[in-house]
Every structure is written in C-alpha cells, then in structure tokens.
Amino acid sequence: MARYETVIGLEFHAELKTKSKLFCPCPTEFGGEPNTHVCPVCLGLPGVLPVLNKHAVELAVKAGLALNCDIQRVSKFDRKNYFYPDLPKAYQVTQFALPICRDGYVNISGKQIRINRIHLEEDAGKLIHSGESILDSGFSMPDYNRAAVPLIEIVTEPDIRSAQEARELAERLKSLLEYAGVSDVRMEQGSLRCDVNISLRPEGQTEFGIRAEIKNLNSFRAIERAIEYEEKRQAAILDEGGRVIQETRTWDDGKGITLSMRSKENAHDYRYFPEPDLVPTVIDDIWMNEIRQSLPEMPEARKHRLMTECGLSEYDTNRIVETPMLAFFFDEVIEAGADAKLTANWILGDISRLLTGNEDKLPIKASDLAVLIEQVKSGAINHSSGKLVLEEMFMHGGCPLEIIKTRGFAQISDASALQEAVLKVVEANPEPVADYKAGKKKAMGFLLGQIMKATGGQANPQMVREMLEKALDA
Amino acid sequence: MLTRLTVAETIKGLQEKQFSSLELTNAYLERIEALDKDINAYITVTAEKARKQAAASDKRRIEGNALSAFDGVPVGIKDIICTKGVRTTAASKMLENFVPPYSATCWNKLENAGCVLLGKLNMDEFAMGSSTENSAFFTTKNPFDLACVPGGSSGGSAAAVAADMAPFSLGTDTGGSVRQPASFCGTVGLKPTYGRVSRFGVIPYASSLDQVGIFAKSIEDCALILSYISGKDEMDSTSVPVEVPDYSVLLDNGVKGMKIGLPKEYFGEGIAKAISDMIKAQAQKLAEAGAEIVEVSLPHTGYALPAYYIMATAEASANLARYDGVRYGLRVERDNLADMFKATRSQGFGAEVKRRIMLGTYALSSGYYEAYYNKTLQVRTLVKKDFDDCFAAGIDCLLTPTAPTTAFRLDEKSNDPLAMYMSDICTVTVNMAGLPALVVPCGELGGLPVGAQLIGAPFAEEKLFRSGRVLENERLIPQFRNREGR
C-alpha cells in the first residue's frame, strides 16, 4: 500500500463583533424574531446603497495584526454573484481582488502555518425549513436577520499535514481572534466556521493531489474527525488506482462521514467584479495607528506580564493564557484586589474543574471570586469551606459573603472557644492522647479530626493544630 | 398660461401671490388630463397627493413659513427614482406594484423644499433603451411629432417638460438617457458630474455610470434645480463632498476668455451632416461672445460605445439579479425554487432587459472576463484620459452633437438593437469619464429639435451653464404633429 502525505488548507469565517451590520445600521445581535433586524438596505430593496461600517474595517485590521498579516492600505470590495433565497441582492459583497490583509502566519507546535489572506464580507441570511432539513421540507422561509452581518474570511496556505495540526491551528486561531477582540468565535453558534480543503499525495511527490472541500464543521472535534475520515476515504480511492473527484463535501457528524454536495462541473461561476457602489477602503497612517493602539494585549505579551509582574510559573501562565476567557477573568480578579498567585490557583484548580463540560461561560463574577479569595486568605473561612462556597456560587449564583453567612461557614478563630474545644477532645480521648505521648504521632490526626467534627468543620485548622500540640506536649 | 412658465417665473409668481400652488398644480393636472392620453409621459399621476401637497404649500406661504423658494413648485419624476409611498415601477412588470418605503435622496431634497409631485414618468424598462419603447406599459410620444420617439431612456421626463405637463422633471443618465431625450424633445437637459447628486433610492441600471439628471425649460431653471438636489449624501458612498455653489448667480458671467473645444471625432461618420453643421454654427456664436474655439481630438472615442455596452450590461446583470420573486415585486409561483426564479424573471423582464442581462452575464463569465469586462476598464481609463488631457491643456468645455439624428420614428429601430445602441454614440463617453454635460436646444430640423452638448471637467457645471446661456434661444414649443383627431 502506498504511503500518502495529507495536505490541508483551512478557511475560516468569523463573525465580527460589531454592533451594526456591514452596510446598514441594523443590529447584529444573535437571535431575535425572524426578519426583525432588517431594513431596506440589508433586504436589498431597489435603489438602496451600502455604506461601509468603519468598525468592521477596524476589527478586520485587528484580526490581521493578530495573525501577523500585512495590512493593505487600499482594499476594495467586489460582487460575488449567485442566486439563492437567503442572499437578498443575489450577490454577496466581498473582497476578491484586493483583500484587506495578506501574508500572515500562525505558530503551532514547532511549525508555522502561513495565512494567505483575510478579507471582509457580508453574511447571508438563513432558511428556516418547514421540516427537519431542506430535503424533507414542503417549504422554507428566509430569515434575513443575519444578512449582511460582517464576517472575515481567513484563508491559510496548504501548510497543514495532519488532523491534529488542523485542530491545533483552529484552536490557536480561535484564541488569537478572541484576544484581539475581533469575534465571539463560538463554533456552536456559528460565529466561527471552518471549511477544510484536503488532498493526498504519494510521499515525496511535490505537486498537490486533487482536493475535496469539506463544509459544515461545527466543532474542533468535527474538524479532526472529518479529516481523519477523508484521509481514509481518499487513500482508499488512490490505493485502487482511482482519482479523487474535486468536489464540495459535507460532514455528517452523527454518522461520522463526509457526503458529496456538488462536483466541480456544477460549481458556480461567481462572476466577480468590482462593487461600484463602494469606494476603495483607504487606511491612512493616523487610522492605522489608532487601530494598532486599540489592539488588546496579545498572548505573548500577556504571558510575559503574568510571569514577570504577577510572579506566576511558566506552567500556570501557559495554562491560563491558553484559554482567553480564563485569562480575561484572571485580570479582572486581580484588578479587584485579589492576590495573583492565589487567583491562579483557584482558576486552574477548582474553577477549571467546575467548568468541565461547560467551557464557554463563567457563571461567577470576578469581584465575587476576589472576595472569596480574601475570605480564605484572611482565615475568615477555611479552604475546604471556600471550595463549597465556590460550588454554591457556580450552581446558584449569589455573593460569597451571603453564602458564608447563610451556610454558617465562618471559621472559628476565637482562641478561647477553640481552646475549650481542644481541651474537651483531649479529655474525652485518653487513649489516643496516650498513644501520641508514647510516640505514635499518627494519633494527632485523629484528635484534629475530632476537634473539627466538634466545631462543625469551622475551626481554624492552623490554630487548632498549634493549640493541640501545646496541650499534648504539656 | 401657467403651465408655460419656467421654474424661475413660477417661483416669482408664487412669491408675488399671482397664483397659488394649488391653482398651478391644478393647471398642470388638467393639462396632463387633456394631453397625456396622446403623449403617454406619465405612468402614475399622483393628483390627490399633489393637490394635498399644493394646499399645504399655500398654507405655509400664507403663514410666512415657505420651506424654500421652490415651495409649491410642481415636478415630475422618472419612475426609476423611489418616491416613498408612491408606486415606483422602473417601467417594468417586475415592479408593477412596488411601493418603496423610502425616498431617493434627490426627491427627498425636493420634497423637503416644498415641491409638489405631479407623478411618475415613463421610461425604458430599468433605463435600458434610447426611445422609451422598452417600457413594459406603453410608449411615450414625442410632443413635436407624435409619430416619433421622445428618446430614452428618460423619454417621459423629456416629453412632460416639452409638452408643459411639468415645469421641470428629474431623469437619470447612464449613457445619455437625459441628454438624448432632451435633444429630441427640445428641452434643456443636464447630466451632472458623477457623484454630484446622490444615487440613493435611484433604482440602478449601471451603478458606476448612473447619475440623476434634470430636464428644464431654461438653463436658469436647470441651475436653480441643481443647487437643490446636489451634495454629499451619507447614504451614497460614491457621492462627492464638493461644495455646492448657487449655480444660478453665475449664469451670466459669459464665455469671454474661455476655450471651447470641438472634438473632431464627434463630427464625422455616423453623424447627420445637418446636425454637425448646426453644432458648428453654435461654435460660431460662442466665438462671437468672446470664446476661443479650438479643434481637439479625443482619440479613443471610437472604443467607447462597445466598451460602454459591456460595462453597463455587466453591472446591470448583477444589479437586476435581486428581482428573483423572493422578497418583493413579481413572483410567478412554481413548484420549486429554480423554476420559480426562471418563470419570474422570464415573465417579469422585457426583451431588451433580458438581452442586456445576458450580455453582461457573458462578459463577466469565467474565461471571458479578461477579454471583455477587463478591457472595458482599460478603455474607460483611456477615454477619461482623453478628456483629462483636453482640460489640462486649458480647454474649458467641449461642444458636440448630442445624438447622430433628430428623433426617429416609432418602431424605426425597435427591432434593431445595434442601430438603437448607436444613438448613444455622442453621449456614453461622458458617463465613462464621469463628467458633467449640458444639452441646450439650438434649433430644429424638419420640425424636430436639435440639442447641442456641452461637456465640462468634473464639477465644472457652472462653466456649462455660462456657455449654454450664450447658445440659449427662445424655447421651442411643440406642435403635437400627427396628433390623432386634432
């Protein structure tokens, strides 16, 4: 059996985080009753004209900066023509000949993946089918709320060689876009979408094989699985001496297979030509500097700061910076006055544990966590109570002081109260006391446990230990 | 006769309370009622709305709250310019019942100035044509000879002004659609600089060439109106932030010291000799008024017409793609989507529109783009450079014929698209270069008007008006020849 090298290029569509659409003032907010976020412009009524949203241009430039691209000071829009009911003008306004960003790169483990281009374009609407899917529907109705929401399309060079690399690139790209503040990058909501171009070639061959394009990949896992499936499918064809058909395929996540959508012969001729209703987008030095300065802190700078200014270990830093949501949260918590190292411990420990299975939303406020950390640090509650408070905050919300009060977590640090409890336990347990005195230091643990039990777990463990040692050594 | 007054005279009459806007409006509505069954200039007459607007205007004037000098002046608008709440068809079955929920900026400005809308004027469907015979509804007749076309595509706008069924009107000009009908109907016609007047709300034919234009009875009127409708519009990215002067105060500055060019390419083959001679006689008038007349050359003129028809149809193929039956306008129901698209577009568009969509689609197709569309971009650059070189050499205006002939007969060219396209030979270059051009009636041949075309540098409309004033004669009054039963 011949051995093949896999060649992959990815195309990402990311929805830009603007308030209004690309060419009109309609809101971009997700959801809403069908056809309520629309106006004559995004519905493509006769005679209306597009007016470019400057903020979308700024976000596209930020994406370019985040992906190390050359920002084009002059870019232009083109029309991409095709008929479909979700496309109001029957052409999509996009950048074909002169995109806004070119020639970038993203580093993944031990490798650089080149970015060919980033261009700005408008999204289409969506069809709501009367049945489960378009195939079993008697009719479909267009919803234009998404029509003309600004997107960037990011196109990589065919530098990727495996499903794992593709997944790593996708994850890295998502994180970079999130840090740049460009997009919400939620794959499940469709604000980040990925298409895979994949071909195989016999090892050692320099020219590319015939590729298939895979669409409808809604998660990182789907990207990985679809590539693995496609590698096997194409290898099987080539093994038999066949030819891979150049076509567009769709990923069926349930069945774990790709299916043919349309072949090259049926491919659209989009008849691109310059959009005459818009003037070229010119970014002068002043605007460029403004955009550059408004770019949020990117991962490398962030890592440097967390290690040098916050004193975190490289390991902890990498783990925090890996997930932008946690990194933003970390900053908010320390800004609220919490100790950086303790914050890192909480975030990487209990919070990460509690987030498992629901990674995209933190249900607690940074200021609340800062309060909780302070409560534990000051000894007002002990660490195990702190964990319980955090769990409560995750499950039901509420502020930590409230929870500590209602659940009675406040730690007993009153020396006389503790002393009394210690003496009682010593009195009631002569045997372990004798054991301890005879050198069986293990008995200490038992006695400590008894005291914690007697105080409902609220005793300050540090103080109890000291008092117990004193009482026993006396 | 109120309807014979120019806009300037009308404004004066309203200001001096010689008549009210309602009296004026009624006079126009009565004239439309009496004449338009023969001329067919109006697709929609908005009589009720007009009387209401006129009455409101009169009230404002009495209270001393006139919105502008134009308050109460009636106007007719080409049916490709969106008028909020008033059906706007583009003379197409596709939009036969389309009522826009917004107004074009140019109409908005006039409405805010107090103008009274008489109605919407006939045209070639989607502005594609040079005779108004491509209207999906009916053909407009030339008021000078009802057996002749009024020109196109803004034929209704030209005929209405010529026949005193509107004191002025708005049209659009993509390749001569204001100027050629102005020449055929003996009115003043202006195609402003590209970007001078907002295109927002104007149903596009070819976006990079379209510009709103004016039909008027005098150059003074044209200048007055231009000041009202011009200016940068935030809704149109291609409108240009060049200051709008009061064009009417500069009219009589004369042409002394101005250099007027006669481009030799516009006086050769294909242009009726009588017309060439008539235009050259106008040059003489300008010379007598103190202008220097020089022969110039615009060497790439010959490439302009074919390039224009590729560029315009390419843009049109995309601009007209939205009429698919999904959201508004005509829908021909079918069992599946592709059939619905096909049936709707087959039945909704007329023959010429389909022809141009196909031409444009072809020109943009993979494998042909370089040979066709891309070449037209190069031609456009060269055509523009020809003009730039002239103006850089000190030429203030160019003087040319507007059309190769006077108004031709109905049906004469309607089955010969190429012959029809040739009637734009003197006008398309101006759109390709984005320049302003003014048509001034300069006489008649065989009872049909002839207009001279003055072409200027970008935003040099003022020089066109000054030159035009030197050529301006007593207005030609149409005789309605061949009017049946009269």
Side-chain angles (χ1 to χ4, degrees):
Chain A
M1 201 171 87
R3 292 179 57 84
Y4 303 108
E5 184 183 34
T6 308
V7 177
I8 300 166
L10 299 181
E11 287 172 26
F12 295 91
H13 285 91
E15 222 164 67
L16 296 178
K17 244 183 344 209
T18 55
K19 284 202 171 64
S20 53
K21 291 186 177 182
L22 190 51
F23 301 119
C24 65
C26 288
T28 54
E29 211 178 304
F30 192 76
E33 285 293 300
N35 299 310
T36 52
H37 298 167
V38 294
C39 72
V41 175
C42 57
L43 285 176
L45 262 56
V48 298
L49 295 170
V51 178
L52 181 60
N53 181 340
K54 279 185 86 174
H55 190 215
V57 175
E58 290 166 359
L59 293 182
V61 170
K62 284 187 188 178
L65 294 172
L67 305 188
N68 310 296
C69 291
D70 287 341
I71 309 302
Q72 306 299 299
R73 296 308 187 88
V74 179
S75 59
K76 279 186 181 173
F77 285 90
D78 299 280
R79 292 182 181 178
K80 177 181 180 178
N81 298 284
Y82 64 96
F83 286 96
Y84 204 63
D86 68 4
L87 191 66
K89 299 184 291 291
Y91 58 79
Q92 179 195 29
V93 178
T94 179
Q95 296 183 316
F96 181 64
L98 297 174
I100 192 158
C101 310
R102 284 183 191 274
D103 301 331
Y105 63 86
V106 174
N107 290 322
I108 61 171
S109 317
K111 189 166 178 180
Q112 192 166 83
I113 306 297
R114 290 169 300 155
I115 303 293
N116 174 291
R117 58 190 275 153
I118 301 177
H119 64 252
L120 254 174
E121 62 186 24
E122 57 179 343
D123 206 349
K126 69 170 184 191
L127 293 183
I128 300 172
H129 305 300
S130 63
E132 283 288 302
S133 77
I134 193 164
L135 295 173
D136 61 6
S137 295
F139 61 92
S140 303
M141 293 169 294
D143 172 10
Y144 296 109
N145 284 354
R146 305 313 296 156
V149 164
L151 301 178
I152 45 171
E153 180 173 333
I154 302 165
V155 182
T156 77
E157 295 289 353
D159 291 349
I160 302 157
R161 294 289 174 269
S162 71
Q164 292 68 37
E165 280 184 8
R167 180 177 181 148
E168 191 187 342
L169 175 72
E171 285 175 344
R172 185 59 52 87
L173 198 116
K174 174 185 152 99
S175 150
L176 288 169
L177 295 181
E178 204 171 345
Y179 275 118
V182 163
S183 169
D184 283 336
V185 288
R186 301 234 171 111
M187 286 195 94
E188 69 289 354
Q189 277 192 6
S191 60
L192 180 67
R193 307 192 281 260
C194 177
D195 299 336
V196 170
N197 282 292
I198 172 170
S199 63
L200 301 190
R201 62 180 170 193
E203 263 183 10
Q205 183 181 304
T206 45
E207 60 268 35
F208 294 134
I210 300 165
R211 68 172 194 270
E213 185 180 8
I214 312 168
K215 291 186 177 288
N216 193 35
L217 300 164
N218 296 323
S219 66
F220 294 128
R221 181 85 191 105
I223 295 172
E224 207 174 349
R225 286 174 67 206
I227 290 172
E228 283 164 359
Y229 174 85
E230 200 53 29
E231 278 175 330
K232 287 195 195 110
R233 186 187 72 87
Q234 293 188 15
I237 294 171
L238 297 174
D239 282 345
E240 286 172 15
R243 280 172 67 87
V244 172
I245 301 169
Q246 188 174 338
E247 61 181 350
T248 305
R249 299 178 70 84
T250 183
W251 171 246
D252 184 328
D253 205 58
K255 296 192 180 122
I257 56 171
T258 64
L259 294 162
S260 179
M261 277 171 77
R262 58 171 180 263
S263 68
K264 196 194 175 202
E265 288 73 51
N266 297 323
H268 293 294
D269 176 0
Y270 291 119
R271 306 189 310 278
Y272 289 98
F273 77 101
E275 162 60 289
D277 287 333
L278 290 166
V279 292
T281 307
V282 179
I283 303 171
D284 61 18
D285 289 348
I286 297 170
W287 197 16
M288 189 63 219
N289 280 336
E290 279 172 16
I291 302 171
R292 212 184 278 280
Q293 277 163 19
S294 67
L295 185 72
E297 189 181 36
M298 295 307 288
E300 289 313 312
R302 199 173 271 272
K303 282 181 187 168
H304 183 74
R305 174 170 60 84
L306 262 50
M307 282 160 58
T308 57
E309 287 177 31
C310 302
L312 302 192
S313 70
E314 190 175 352
Y315 178 77
D316 285 356
T317 298
N318 285 339
R319 281 188 63 202
I320 289 180
V321 174
E322 203 167 71
T323 313
M325 181 181 69
L326 295 183
F328 297 143
F329 189 65
F330 173 83
D331 281 356
E332 285 178 56
V333 178
I334 59 170
E335 207 153 285
D339 176 84
K341 277 188 177 164
L342 292 176
T343 303
N345 290 343
W346 279 93
I347 287 179
L348 294 174
D350 291 289
I351 289 179
S352 294
R353 177 175 55 83
L354 290 166
L355 275 174
T356 309
N358 186 25
E359 277 91 356
D360 60 326
K361 203 174 182 314
L362 265 170
I364 59 169
K365 283 202 290 195
S367 54
D368 286 342
L369 181 63
V371 168
L372 178 62
I373 291 171
E374 188 51 37
Q375 289 294 304
V376 176
K377 190 186 172 196
S378 72
I381 60 170
N382 62 38
H383 191 264
S384 44
S385 300
K387 287 179 165 203
L388 296 173
V389 173
L390 184 70
E391 275 171 26
E392 177 89 16
M393 286 160 64
F394 255 75
M395 311 254 251
H396 309 294
C399 91
L401 293 178
E402 238 2 81
I403 296 169
I404 291 166
K405 204 168 146 197
T406 53
R407 297 277 304 267
F409 283 139
Q411 190 161 289
I412 302 167
S413 300
D414 173 8
S416 61
L418 288 180
Q419 188 66 27
E420 202 185 314
V422 169
L423 292 178
K424 265 189 186 168
V425 168
V426 170
E427 232 166 77
N429 295 285
E431 267 180 45
V433 171
D435 285 351
Y436 178 82
K437 288 192 171 172
K440 290 187 182 168
K441 298 293 174 194
K442 265 199 206 158
M444 179 74 158
F446 173 78
L447 293 168
L448 273 174
Q450 292 300 306
I451 297 165
M452 293 310 283
K453 202 171 158 190
T455 56
Q458 285 165 274
N460 180 328
Q462 198 67 33
M463 288 173 75
V464 169
R465 175 177 285 272
E466 281 166 22
M467 286 176 176
L468 185 62
E469 276 171 359
K470 233 178 181 178
L472 294 175
D473 293 342
Chain B
M1 202 161 103
L2 290 182
T3 54
R4 185 135 300 172
L5 301 177
T6 63
V7 171
E9 290 161 351
T10 303
I11 288 173
K12 191 157 173 277
L14 286 167
Q15 279 169 347
E16 292 173 357
K17 310 236 164 34
Q18 292 168 22
F19 46 82
S20 69
S21 174
L22 188 58
E23 283 166 329
L24 181 69
T25 300
N26 279 327
Y28 277 108
L29 291 172
E30 280 158 27
R31 188 161 172 91
I32 293 167
E33 179 79 29
L35 277 180
D36 205 39
K37 54 183 177 295
D38 295 322
I39 308 286
N40 279 324
Y42 281 89
I43 292 176
T44 305
V45 178
T46 49
E48 201 185 327
K49 180 182 167 78
R51 289 196 182 96
K52 261 190 209 154
Q53 283 184 314
S57 166
D58 287 334
K59 188 161 174 278
R60 286 193 295 268
R61 238 180 234 287
I62 288 163
E63 291 166 352
N65 295 326
L67 294 172
S68 75
F70 269 71
D71 203 335
V73 177
V75 60
I77 306 272
K78 186 179 185 181
D79 212 16
I80 202 165
I81 297 173
C82 287
T83 42
K84 186 176 176 176
V86 174
R87 185 174 77 127
T88 301
T89 68
S92 180
K93 272 196 239 163
M94 194 61 96
L95 294 176
E96 191 164 3
N97 298 306
F98 176 69
V99 178
Y102 45 86
S103 281
T105 300
C106 57
W107 163 236
N108 218 11
K109 286 187 171 202
L110 289 179
E111 193 169 33
N112 290 339
C115 279
V116 171
L117 181 67
L118 293 169
K120 303 299 295 289
L121 294 157
N122 199 22
M123 51 185 279
D124 287 297
E125 183 179 4
F126 285 105
M128 297 179 181
S130 309
S131 68
T132 314
E133 291 166 295
N134 296 332
S135 167
F137 307 124
F138 41 74
T139 300
T140 300
K141 316 294 190 310
N142 191 314
F144 285 82
D145 183 339
L146 276 65
C148 289
V149 302
S153 68
S154 312
S157 298
V161 172
D164 291 327
M165 296 191 292
F168 77 100
S169 66
L170 296 186
T172 57
D173 188 316
T174 306
S177 281
V178 164
R179 289 161 288 153
Q180 184 251 27
S183 178
F184 282 12
C185 293
T187 75
V188 172
L190 176 73
K191 183 254 161 207
T193 308
Y194 186 81
R196 175 82 293 188
V197 181
S198 169
R199 291 185 298 114
F200 180 82
V202 178
I203 299 177
Y205 160 23
S207 313
S208 75
L209 302 160
D210 292 344
Q211 181 63 196
V212 172
I214 299 163
F215 293 90
K217 296 176 187 179
S218 73
I219 288 166
E220 183 187 12
D221 285 4
C222 201
L224 277 171
I225 298 155
L226 185 64
S227 294
Y228 270 90
I229 64 171
S230 296
K232 171 72 185 168
D233 177 8
E234 292 308 324
M235 302 288 277
D236 176 1
S237 313
T238 64
S239 65
V240 180
V242 171
E243 204 190 328
V244 182
D246 181 348
Y247 291 107
S248 62
V249 301
L250 308 160
L251 289 178
D252 291 319
N253 285 9
V255 292
K256 205 166 197 153
M258 266 169 65
K259 247 171 140 175
I260 308 237
L262 292 180
K264 61 179 187 204
E265 290 80 5
Y266 287 71
F267 292 89
E269 207 188 330
I271 309 295
K273 181 162 187 305
I275 289 186
S276 290
D277 291 347
M278 205 174 218
I279 302 306
K280 284 179 180 156
Q282 305 305 308
Q284 196 50 42
K285 271 189 175 178
L286 289 163
E288 282 160 17
E292 186 190 340
I293 308 296
V294 274
E295 186 174 279
V296 297
S297 174
L298 301 166
H300 297 95
T301 302
Y303 302 107
L305 191 76
Y308 164 83
Y309 271 95
I310 291 170
M311 176 171 293
T313 57
E315 291 183 22
S317 72
N319 281 334
L320 272 66
R322 67 187 64 190
Y323 308 111
D324 57 8
V326 174
R327 288 158 301 277
Y328 52 83
L330 181 73
R331 175 191 292 180
V332 180
E333 292 291 353
R334 286 292 184 270
D335 285 343
N336 67 63
L337 183 69
D339 289 349
M340 188 278 279
F341 280 163
K342 284 180 201 162
T344 299
R345 292 171 66 77
S346 298
Q347 294 182 29
F349 291 135
E352 181 61 26
V353 171
K354 286 183 210 164
R355 181 180 297 126
R356 294 196 193 191
I357 289 173
M358 284 189 280
L359 274 173
T361 302
Y362 183 82
L364 291 175
S365 296
S366 162
Y368 300 97
Y369 182 92
E370 294 295 319
Y372 293 103
Y373 187 78
N374 227 19
K375 275 273 179 278
T376 69
L377 295 179
Q378 292 166 347
V379 170
R380 186 174 200 167
T381 304
L382 293 172
V383 165
K384 191 171 182 311
K385 188 173 176 297
D386 283 354
F387 284 111
D388 288 345
D389 291 348
C390 265
F391 298 127
I395 300 289
D396 294 287
C397 295
L398 297 160
L399 175 67
T400 75
T402 308
T405 62
T406 54
F408 43 87
R409 298 182 72 78
L410 294 165
D411 296 329
E412 187 181 325
K413 296 183 181 180
S414 53
N415 292 315
D416 186 351
L418 280 183
M420 190 73 91
Y421 296 173
M422 289 301 285
S423 59
D424 299 335
I425 196 156
C426 303
T427 46
V428 295
T429 49
V430 165
N431 301 78
M432 293 188 85
L435 305 175
L438 178 72
V439 169
V440 188
C442 59
E444 53 185 300
L445 279 175
L448 290 166
V450 174
Q453 175 173 241
L454 290 155
I455 303 169
F459 300 99
E461 280 85 353
E462 175 238 321
K463 283 184 184 170
L464 301 182
F465 293 139
R466 277 164 57 193
S467 316
R469 282 285 266 197
V470 173
L471 306 182
E472 201 169 22
N473 301 306
E474 190 86 347
R475 190 182 147 222
L476 296 169
I477 304 297
Q479 298 308 314
F480 308 110
R481 255 189 299 154
N482 293 315
R483 192 176 173 197
E484 280 153 84
R486 312 274 155 147

